[in-house]
Short mmCIF file of all heavy atoms in Angstrom, two decimals:
data_model
loop_
_atom_site.label_atom_id
_atom_site.label_comp_id
_atom_site.label_asym_id
_atom_site.label_seq_id
_atom_site.Cartn_x
_atom_site.Cartn_y
_atom_site.Cartn_z
N MET X 1 104.68 -21.45 42.85
CA MET X 1 104.22 -20.09 42.62
C MET X 1 104.02 -19.40 43.97
O MET X 1 103.43 -19.95 44.88
CB MET X 1 102.91 -20.12 41.82
CG MET X 1 102.43 -18.73 41.48
SD MET X 1 100.80 -18.68 40.66
CE MET X 1 101.10 -19.61 39.20
N ALA X 2 104.52 -18.23 44.09
CA ALA X 2 104.38 -17.45 45.33
C ALA X 2 102.94 -17.00 45.51
O ALA X 2 102.19 -16.89 44.54
CB ALA X 2 105.31 -16.25 45.30
N ASP X 3 102.57 -16.72 46.74
CA ASP X 3 101.23 -16.25 47.02
C ASP X 3 101.12 -14.74 46.88
O ASP X 3 100.06 -14.22 46.56
CB ASP X 3 100.81 -16.63 48.44
CG ASP X 3 100.58 -18.12 48.60
OD1 ASP X 3 100.25 -18.78 47.61
OD2 ASP X 3 100.75 -18.61 49.72
N ARG X 4 102.22 -14.03 47.16
CA ARG X 4 102.23 -12.57 47.10
C ARG X 4 103.36 -12.11 46.19
O ARG X 4 104.42 -12.72 46.16
CB ARG X 4 102.46 -11.99 48.48
CG ARG X 4 101.36 -12.24 49.45
CD ARG X 4 101.77 -11.79 50.82
NE ARG X 4 101.32 -10.42 51.06
CZ ARG X 4 101.71 -9.68 52.06
NH1 ARG X 4 102.58 -10.14 52.93
NH2 ARG X 4 101.25 -8.47 52.23
N TYR X 5 103.10 -11.02 45.52
CA TYR X 5 104.08 -10.44 44.61
C TYR X 5 104.27 -8.98 44.99
O TYR X 5 103.34 -8.31 45.39
CB TYR X 5 103.59 -10.57 43.16
CG TYR X 5 103.22 -11.99 42.83
CD1 TYR X 5 101.90 -12.41 42.91
CD2 TYR X 5 104.19 -12.91 42.50
CE1 TYR X 5 101.56 -13.72 42.64
CE2 TYR X 5 103.86 -14.23 42.22
CZ TYR X 5 102.54 -14.63 42.29
OH TYR X 5 102.21 -15.93 42.04
N LYS X 6 105.50 -8.51 44.85
CA LYS X 6 105.86 -7.18 45.30
C LYS X 6 106.07 -6.25 44.11
O LYS X 6 106.48 -6.69 43.03
CB LYS X 6 107.16 -7.30 46.12
CG LYS X 6 107.62 -6.06 46.79
CD LYS X 6 108.70 -6.33 47.81
CE LYS X 6 110.00 -6.75 47.20
NZ LYS X 6 111.11 -6.77 48.15
N THR X 7 105.81 -4.97 44.33
CA THR X 7 106.09 -3.95 43.32
C THR X 7 107.50 -4.18 42.78
O THR X 7 108.44 -4.37 43.54
CB THR X 7 105.99 -2.54 43.96
OG1 THR X 7 104.64 -2.31 44.35
CG2 THR X 7 106.41 -1.46 42.98
N GLY X 8 107.60 -4.18 41.45
CA GLY X 8 108.89 -4.38 40.80
C GLY X 8 109.11 -5.80 40.30
O GLY X 8 109.92 -6.03 39.41
N GLU X 9 108.39 -6.78 40.87
CA GLU X 9 108.51 -8.16 40.40
C GLU X 9 107.68 -8.34 39.13
O GLU X 9 106.82 -7.52 38.82
CB GLU X 9 108.03 -9.14 41.47
CG GLU X 9 108.91 -9.16 42.70
CD GLU X 9 108.45 -10.15 43.76
OE1 GLU X 9 107.27 -10.57 43.76
OE2 GLU X 9 109.27 -10.48 44.61
N LYS X 10 107.95 -9.42 38.41
CA LYS X 10 107.23 -9.72 37.17
C LYS X 10 106.05 -10.64 37.45
O LYS X 10 106.16 -11.59 38.25
CB LYS X 10 108.16 -10.40 36.16
CG LYS X 10 109.39 -9.58 35.81
CD LYS X 10 109.05 -8.41 34.97
CE LYS X 10 110.31 -7.66 34.56
NZ LYS X 10 110.07 -6.42 33.93
N ALA X 11 104.94 -10.39 36.78
CA ALA X 11 103.76 -11.24 36.93
C ALA X 11 104.06 -12.61 36.32
O ALA X 11 104.55 -12.70 35.20
CB ALA X 11 102.56 -10.61 36.23
N PRO X 12 103.75 -13.68 37.05
CA PRO X 12 104.03 -15.02 36.55
C PRO X 12 103.01 -15.51 35.52
O PRO X 12 103.27 -16.43 34.76
CB PRO X 12 103.98 -15.89 37.80
CG PRO X 12 103.00 -15.17 38.68
CD PRO X 12 103.22 -13.71 38.41
N ALA X 13 101.83 -14.89 35.52
CA ALA X 13 100.76 -15.35 34.63
C ALA X 13 99.79 -14.21 34.35
O ALA X 13 99.70 -13.25 35.12
CB ALA X 13 99.99 -16.50 35.29
N ASN X 14 99.07 -14.33 33.24
CA ASN X 14 98.01 -13.36 32.93
C ASN X 14 96.95 -13.45 34.00
O ASN X 14 96.68 -14.53 34.53
CB ASN X 14 97.35 -13.70 31.59
CG ASN X 14 98.29 -13.60 30.42
OD1 ASN X 14 99.39 -13.08 30.51
ND2 ASN X 14 97.86 -14.12 29.29
N GLY X 15 96.34 -12.33 34.33
CA GLY X 15 95.23 -12.39 35.26
C GLY X 15 95.02 -11.11 36.04
O GLY X 15 95.69 -10.10 35.82
N LYS X 16 94.06 -11.20 36.96
CA LYS X 16 93.74 -10.07 37.83
C LYS X 16 94.44 -10.30 39.17
O LYS X 16 94.47 -11.42 39.67
CB LYS X 16 92.24 -9.95 38.06
CG LYS X 16 91.52 -9.47 36.84
CD LYS X 16 90.08 -9.15 37.16
CE LYS X 16 89.44 -8.63 35.89
NZ LYS X 16 88.26 -7.87 36.12
N TYR X 17 94.94 -9.20 39.72
CA TYR X 17 95.63 -9.23 41.00
C TYR X 17 95.02 -8.15 41.87
O TYR X 17 94.60 -7.11 41.38
CB TYR X 17 97.13 -8.98 40.80
CG TYR X 17 97.82 -10.06 40.01
CD1 TYR X 17 97.80 -10.05 38.61
CD2 TYR X 17 98.46 -11.12 40.65
CE1 TYR X 17 98.41 -11.05 37.88
CE2 TYR X 17 99.08 -12.12 39.92
CZ TYR X 17 99.05 -12.09 38.54
OH TYR X 17 99.66 -13.08 37.82
N GLU X 18 94.99 -8.42 43.19
CA GLU X 18 94.42 -7.43 44.09
C GLU X 18 95.45 -6.99 45.12
O GLU X 18 96.35 -7.74 45.49
CB GLU X 18 93.16 -7.95 44.77
CG GLU X 18 93.38 -9.13 45.69
CD GLU X 18 92.08 -9.68 46.25
OE1 GLU X 18 90.99 -9.24 45.85
OE2 GLU X 18 92.16 -10.59 47.09
N PHE X 19 95.28 -5.76 45.59
CA PHE X 19 96.14 -5.16 46.61
C PHE X 19 96.11 -6.02 47.86
O PHE X 19 95.05 -6.45 48.31
CB PHE X 19 95.64 -3.74 46.91
CG PHE X 19 96.33 -3.07 48.06
CD1 PHE X 19 97.62 -2.60 47.92
CD2 PHE X 19 95.68 -2.92 49.26
CE1 PHE X 19 98.26 -1.98 48.99
CE2 PHE X 19 96.31 -2.29 50.34
CZ PHE X 19 97.60 -1.83 50.20
N ASP X 20 97.31 -6.27 48.45
CA ASP X 20 97.39 -7.10 49.65
C ASP X 20 98.32 -6.49 50.69
O ASP X 20 99.02 -7.19 51.39
CB ASP X 20 97.85 -8.51 49.27
CG ASP X 20 97.66 -9.50 50.40
OD1 ASP X 20 96.65 -9.41 51.12
OD2 ASP X 20 98.53 -10.36 50.58
N GLY X 21 98.37 -5.17 50.76
CA GLY X 21 99.16 -4.49 51.77
C GLY X 21 100.36 -3.78 51.18
O GLY X 21 100.75 -4.02 50.04
N LEU X 22 100.94 -2.91 51.99
CA LEU X 22 102.14 -2.19 51.59
C LEU X 22 103.36 -2.97 52.02
O LEU X 22 103.33 -3.71 53.01
CB LEU X 22 102.15 -0.80 52.23
CG LEU X 22 101.02 0.13 51.79
CD1 LEU X 22 101.05 1.41 52.62
CD2 LEU X 22 101.13 0.45 50.31
N THR X 23 104.46 -2.81 51.31
CA THR X 23 105.66 -3.59 51.63
C THR X 23 106.29 -3.19 52.95
O THR X 23 107.07 -3.94 53.50
CB THR X 23 106.71 -3.48 50.51
OG1 THR X 23 107.09 -2.12 50.34
CG2 THR X 23 106.19 -4.05 49.21
N ASP X 24 105.93 -2.02 53.48
CA ASP X 24 106.47 -1.61 54.78
C ASP X 24 105.65 -2.17 55.94
O ASP X 24 105.88 -1.83 57.09
CB ASP X 24 106.59 -0.09 54.88
CG ASP X 24 105.26 0.63 54.92
OD1 ASP X 24 104.20 -0.04 54.91
OD2 ASP X 24 105.27 1.87 54.94
N GLY X 25 104.66 -3.03 55.63
CA GLY X 25 103.90 -3.71 56.67
C GLY X 25 102.55 -3.10 56.99
O GLY X 25 101.75 -3.70 57.67
N ARG X 26 102.29 -1.88 56.51
CA ARG X 26 100.99 -1.26 56.76
C ARG X 26 99.98 -1.82 55.78
O ARG X 26 100.24 -1.93 54.61
CB ARG X 26 101.07 0.26 56.58
CG ARG X 26 101.89 0.94 57.63
CD ARG X 26 101.94 2.42 57.39
NE ARG X 26 102.69 2.67 56.16
CZ ARG X 26 102.38 3.61 55.27
NH1 ARG X 26 101.35 4.39 55.45
NH2 ARG X 26 103.12 3.77 54.19
N LYS X 27 98.83 -2.19 56.26
CA LYS X 27 97.77 -2.68 55.38
C LYS X 27 96.70 -1.62 55.24
O LYS X 27 95.77 -1.77 54.49
CB LYS X 27 97.18 -3.96 55.95
CG LYS X 27 97.03 -5.02 54.88
CD LYS X 27 96.43 -6.28 55.38
CE LYS X 27 96.08 -7.11 54.17
NZ LYS X 27 96.43 -8.47 54.21
N LYS X 28 96.82 -0.54 55.97
CA LYS X 28 95.76 0.46 56.01
C LYS X 28 95.94 1.57 55.00
O LYS X 28 95.40 2.63 55.19
CB LYS X 28 95.65 1.04 57.41
CG LYS X 28 94.93 0.13 58.35
CD LYS X 28 94.40 0.90 59.51
CE LYS X 28 93.38 0.08 60.22
NZ LYS X 28 92.55 0.83 61.09
N SER X 29 96.71 1.35 53.96
CA SER X 29 96.71 2.34 52.89
C SER X 29 95.32 2.22 52.29
O SER X 29 94.78 1.14 52.19
CB SER X 29 97.77 2.01 51.86
OG SER X 29 97.75 2.97 50.85
N GLU X 30 94.74 3.28 51.90
CA GLU X 30 93.38 3.25 51.39
C GLU X 30 93.40 3.35 49.87
O GLU X 30 93.16 4.42 49.32
CB GLU X 30 92.58 4.41 52.00
CG GLU X 30 92.46 4.35 53.50
CD GLU X 30 91.40 3.38 53.97
OE1 GLU X 30 90.45 3.11 53.22
OE2 GLU X 30 91.52 2.89 55.10
N PRO X 31 93.67 2.22 49.19
CA PRO X 31 93.65 2.29 47.73
C PRO X 31 92.23 2.56 47.23
O PRO X 31 91.26 2.12 47.85
CB PRO X 31 94.13 0.91 47.29
CG PRO X 31 93.81 0.02 48.43
CD PRO X 31 93.91 0.87 49.67
N THR X 32 92.15 3.27 46.14
CA THR X 32 90.83 3.51 45.56
C THR X 32 90.29 2.20 45.00
O THR X 32 91.05 1.26 44.76
CB THR X 32 90.91 4.56 44.43
OG1 THR X 32 91.69 4.01 43.37
CG2 THR X 32 91.53 5.86 44.91
N GLU X 33 89.00 2.14 44.80
CA GLU X 33 88.40 0.93 44.23
C GLU X 33 89.03 0.61 42.88
O GLU X 33 89.29 -0.54 42.55
CB GLU X 33 86.89 1.13 44.07
CG GLU X 33 86.17 -0.11 43.62
CD GLU X 33 84.67 0.07 43.56
OE1 GLU X 33 84.12 0.84 44.35
OE2 GLU X 33 84.06 -0.58 42.70
N HIS X 34 89.33 1.66 42.11
CA HIS X 34 89.92 1.48 40.78
C HIS X 34 91.32 0.89 40.84
O HIS X 34 91.71 0.13 39.97
CB HIS X 34 89.94 2.83 40.06
CG HIS X 34 90.55 2.76 38.70
ND1 HIS X 34 89.94 2.14 37.63
CD2 HIS X 34 91.73 3.21 38.24
CE1 HIS X 34 90.71 2.23 36.57
NE2 HIS X 34 91.82 2.88 36.91
N GLU X 35 92.10 1.21 41.87
CA GLU X 35 93.47 0.72 41.93
C GLU X 35 93.65 -0.50 42.83
O GLU X 35 94.74 -1.04 42.90
CB GLU X 35 94.42 1.83 42.38
CG GLU X 35 94.28 2.23 43.81
CD GLU X 35 95.22 3.35 44.22
OE1 GLU X 35 96.15 3.70 43.48
OE2 GLU X 35 95.01 3.90 45.32
N SER X 36 92.59 -0.96 43.50
CA SER X 36 92.74 -2.11 44.38
C SER X 36 92.84 -3.42 43.60
O SER X 36 93.28 -4.42 44.14
CB SER X 36 91.60 -2.18 45.39
OG SER X 36 90.37 -2.39 44.74
N GLN X 37 92.42 -3.42 42.33
CA GLN X 37 92.60 -4.58 41.46
C GLN X 37 93.24 -4.11 40.16
O GLN X 37 92.88 -3.05 39.64
CB GLN X 37 91.27 -5.27 41.15
CG GLN X 37 90.79 -6.15 42.25
CD GLN X 37 89.72 -7.13 41.79
OE1 GLN X 37 89.34 -7.16 40.63
NE2 GLN X 37 89.23 -7.92 42.71
N ILE X 38 94.18 -4.91 39.68
CA ILE X 38 94.86 -4.60 38.43
C ILE X 38 94.85 -5.83 37.54
O ILE X 38 94.72 -6.95 38.02
CB ILE X 38 96.33 -4.14 38.68
CG1 ILE X 38 97.10 -5.21 39.47
CG2 ILE X 38 96.36 -2.81 39.41
CD1 ILE X 38 98.58 -4.92 39.62
N THR X 39 94.94 -5.63 36.26
CA THR X 39 95.04 -6.72 35.30
C THR X 39 96.42 -6.66 34.67
O THR X 39 96.83 -5.61 34.17
CB THR X 39 93.95 -6.60 34.22
OG1 THR X 39 92.67 -6.63 34.85
CG2 THR X 39 94.05 -7.75 33.22
N LEU X 40 97.14 -7.78 34.73
CA LEU X 40 98.49 -7.85 34.17
C LEU X 40 98.61 -9.04 33.24
O LEU X 40 97.87 -10.02 33.37
CB LEU X 40 99.53 -7.99 35.28
CG LEU X 40 99.66 -6.86 36.29
CD1 LEU X 40 100.68 -7.23 37.36
CD2 LEU X 40 100.04 -5.57 35.62
N GLU X 41 99.54 -8.95 32.32
CA GLU X 41 99.90 -10.07 31.48
C GLU X 41 101.21 -10.65 31.99
O GLU X 41 101.99 -9.95 32.65
CB GLU X 41 100.04 -9.62 30.02
CG GLU X 41 98.71 -9.18 29.43
CD GLU X 41 98.82 -8.89 27.95
OE1 GLU X 41 99.79 -9.32 27.30
OE2 GLU X 41 97.91 -8.22 27.44
N SER X 42 101.45 -11.91 31.70
CA SER X 42 102.67 -12.56 32.13
C SER X 42 103.88 -11.73 31.71
O SER X 42 103.98 -11.29 30.56
CB SER X 42 102.75 -13.95 31.49
OG SER X 42 103.93 -14.60 31.88
N GLY X 43 104.77 -11.46 32.66
CA GLY X 43 105.96 -10.66 32.38
C GLY X 43 105.82 -9.19 32.67
O GLY X 43 106.81 -8.47 32.72
N ASP X 44 104.57 -8.69 32.87
CA ASP X 44 104.37 -7.29 33.24
C ASP X 44 104.93 -7.08 34.65
O ASP X 44 104.95 -7.99 35.47
CB ASP X 44 102.88 -6.92 33.25
CG ASP X 44 102.29 -6.75 31.86
OD1 ASP X 44 103.05 -6.73 30.88
OD2 ASP X 44 101.06 -6.62 31.78
N THR X 45 105.34 -5.86 34.94
CA THR X 45 105.89 -5.52 36.26
C THR X 45 104.77 -5.05 37.19
O THR X 45 103.94 -4.24 36.80
CB THR X 45 106.93 -4.39 36.11
OG1 THR X 45 107.96 -4.84 35.21
CG2 THR X 45 107.55 -4.03 37.44
N PHE X 46 104.78 -5.60 38.42
CA PHE X 46 103.81 -5.15 39.41
C PHE X 46 104.09 -3.70 39.76
O PHE X 46 105.23 -3.35 40.09
CB PHE X 46 103.87 -6.02 40.67
CG PHE X 46 103.23 -7.36 40.48
CD1 PHE X 46 103.99 -8.47 40.14
CD2 PHE X 46 101.86 -7.52 40.61
CE1 PHE X 46 103.40 -9.72 39.95
CE2 PHE X 46 101.26 -8.75 40.42
CZ PHE X 46 102.03 -9.85 40.08
N PRO X 47 103.06 -2.85 39.72
CA PRO X 47 103.25 -1.42 39.96
C PRO X 47 103.12 -1.05 41.44
O PRO X 47 102.61 -1.84 42.24
CB PRO X 47 102.09 -0.80 39.18
CG PRO X 47 100.99 -1.81 39.38
CD PRO X 47 101.69 -3.15 39.30
N PRO X 48 103.53 0.17 41.78
CA PRO X 48 103.20 0.70 43.11
C PRO X 48 101.73 1.15 43.08
O PRO X 48 101.12 1.18 42.01
CB PRO X 48 104.13 1.91 43.24
CG PRO X 48 104.35 2.36 41.83
CD PRO X 48 104.33 1.10 40.99
N LEU X 49 101.19 1.48 44.25
CA LEU X 49 99.85 2.08 44.26
C LEU X 49 99.92 3.40 43.52
O LEU X 49 100.82 4.21 43.76
CB LEU X 49 99.38 2.34 45.69
CG LEU X 49 98.85 1.16 46.47
CD1 LEU X 49 98.42 1.61 47.86
CD2 LEU X 49 97.71 0.48 45.76
N ARG X 50 99.00 3.62 42.62
CA ARG X 50 99.03 4.84 41.81
C ARG X 50 98.87 6.10 42.64
O ARG X 50 99.55 7.09 42.42
CB ARG X 50 97.92 4.79 40.75
CG ARG X 50 98.27 3.90 39.60
CD ARG X 50 97.19 3.97 38.52
NE ARG X 50 97.00 2.64 38.00
CZ ARG X 50 95.88 1.96 38.09
NH1 ARG X 50 94.82 2.47 38.64
NH2 ARG X 50 95.81 0.75 37.59
N SER X 51 97.95 6.08 43.60
CA SER X 51 97.63 7.29 44.36
C SER X 51 98.77 7.76 45.26
O SER X 51 98.97 8.95 45.44
CB SER X 51 96.37 7.08 45.19
OG SER X 51 96.56 6.02 46.10
N SER X 52 99.52 6.83 45.83
CA SER X 52 100.58 7.21 46.78
C SER X 52 101.98 6.90 46.29
O SER X 52 102.95 7.31 46.90
CB SER X 52 100.35 6.48 48.11
OG SER X 52 100.50 5.09 47.93
N GLN X 53 102.09 6.13 45.20
CA GLN X 53 103.37 5.68 44.67
C GLN X 53 104.17 4.87 45.68
O GLN X 53 105.40 4.82 45.63
CB GLN X 53 104.19 6.86 44.14
CG GLN X 53 103.60 7.50 42.89
CD GLN X 53 103.47 6.50 41.74
OE1 GLN X 53 104.44 5.86 41.34
NE2 GLN X 53 102.27 6.36 41.21
N GLU X 54 103.47 4.20 46.62
CA GLU X 54 104.13 3.35 47.60
C GLU X 54 104.20 1.92 47.09
O GLU X 54 103.28 1.43 46.43
CB GLU X 54 103.38 3.39 48.92
CG GLU X 54 103.42 4.74 49.60
CD GLU X 54 102.67 4.73 50.90
OE1 GLU X 54 101.45 4.97 50.88
OE2 GLU X 54 103.31 4.48 51.94
N ALA X 55 105.29 1.23 47.41
CA ALA X 55 105.46 -0.18 47.03
C ALA X 55 104.40 -1.02 47.71
O ALA X 55 104.08 -0.81 48.89
CB ALA X 55 106.84 -0.66 47.40
N ALA X 56 103.84 -1.96 46.97
CA ALA X 56 102.73 -2.77 47.48
C ALA X 56 102.94 -4.24 47.21
O ALA X 56 103.76 -4.64 46.38
CB ALA X 56 101.44 -2.31 46.81
N TYR X 57 102.17 -5.06 47.93
CA TYR X 57 102.06 -6.49 47.65
C TYR X 57 100.77 -6.71 46.89
O TYR X 57 99.77 -6.03 47.11
CB TYR X 57 102.01 -7.31 48.94
CG TYR X 57 103.34 -7.44 49.65
CD1 TYR X 57 103.55 -6.85 50.87
CD2 TYR X 57 104.37 -8.20 49.08
CE1 TYR X 57 104.75 -6.99 51.52
CE2 TYR X 57 105.58 -8.34 49.73
CZ TYR X 57 105.76 -7.74 50.95
OH TYR X 57 106.97 -7.86 51.60
N TRP X 58 100.80 -7.69 46.01
CA TRP X 58 99.65 -8.07 45.19
C TRP X 58 99.46 -9.56 45.27
O TRP X 58 100.42 -10.30 45.43
CB TRP X 58 99.89 -7.66 43.72
CG TRP X 58 100.15 -6.21 43.58
CD1 TRP X 58 101.38 -5.59 43.57
CD2 TRP X 58 99.18 -5.17 43.44
NE1 TRP X 58 101.22 -4.22 43.44
CE2 TRP X 58 99.88 -3.94 43.36
CE3 TRP X 58 97.80 -5.14 43.39
CZ2 TRP X 58 99.23 -2.72 43.21
CZ3 TRP X 58 97.16 -3.93 43.24
CH2 TRP X 58 97.88 -2.73 43.15
N LYS X 59 98.21 -10.02 45.18
CA LYS X 59 97.94 -11.46 45.12
C LYS X 59 96.95 -11.72 43.99
O LYS X 59 96.12 -10.88 43.68
CB LYS X 59 97.43 -12.00 46.46
CG LYS X 59 96.10 -11.45 46.90
CD LYS X 59 95.71 -12.02 48.24
CE LYS X 59 94.38 -11.45 48.69
NZ LYS X 59 93.96 -11.99 49.97
N LYS X 60 97.07 -12.91 43.42
CA LYS X 60 96.22 -13.27 42.28
C LYS X 60 94.80 -13.50 42.76
O LYS X 60 94.56 -14.12 43.78
CB LYS X 60 96.75 -14.53 41.59
CG LYS X 60 96.08 -14.80 40.26
CD LYS X 60 97.04 -15.54 39.36
CE LYS X 60 96.56 -15.85 37.98
NZ LYS X 60 95.39 -15.34 37.46
N VAL X 61 93.85 -12.97 42.01
CA VAL X 61 92.43 -13.18 42.29
C VAL X 61 92.08 -14.56 41.79
O VAL X 61 92.40 -14.93 40.66
CB VAL X 61 91.56 -12.10 41.60
CG1 VAL X 61 90.09 -12.37 41.83
CG2 VAL X 61 91.94 -10.72 42.08
N LYS X 62 91.43 -15.33 42.62
CA LYS X 62 91.09 -16.72 42.24
C LYS X 62 89.85 -16.78 41.41
O LYS X 62 88.98 -16.01 41.45
CB LYS X 62 90.93 -17.55 43.50
CG LYS X 62 92.19 -17.51 44.32
CD LYS X 62 92.35 -18.73 45.13
CE LYS X 62 93.49 -18.59 46.05
NZ LYS X 62 94.64 -19.16 46.00
#
């Protein structure tokens, strides 16, 4: 299982995922508290950040 998942990829498992940077390498996008964590079901597509529509990396919350 990968540690990071990118916008457009499918979630491997149900759970909560948190923002882990933008795919262009910037980590200083300021996601809102509401969008910094998302809940997905297995097979759901990882979204971009809602506020900026930029592609993001996500990691599973332990």
Side-chain angles (χ1 to χ4, degrees):
M1 183 185 299
D3 290 333
R4 293 173 94 192
Y5 307 96
K6 186 167 70 169
T7 295
E9 293 181 340
K10 302 288 184 189
N14 297 348
K16 288 189 178 201
Y17 295 84
E18 65 185 6
F19 173 74
D20 193 38
L22 296 173
T23 60
D24 68 2
R26 292 179 293 143
K27 226 181 169 134
K28 282 201 164 197
S29 181
E30 299 281 334
T32 65
E33 186 176 329
H34 179 71
E35 70 181 349
S36 64
Q37 281 197 1
I38 56 174
T39 301
L40 297 176
E41 293 187 17
S42 180
D44 285 350
T45 302
F46 284 95
L49 281 181
R50 283 185 220 117
S51 60
S52 65
Q53 291 302 305
E54 293 180 273
Y57 285 113
W58 303 92
K59 64 182 180 179
K60 191 151 182 10
V61 177
K62 302 208 187 252

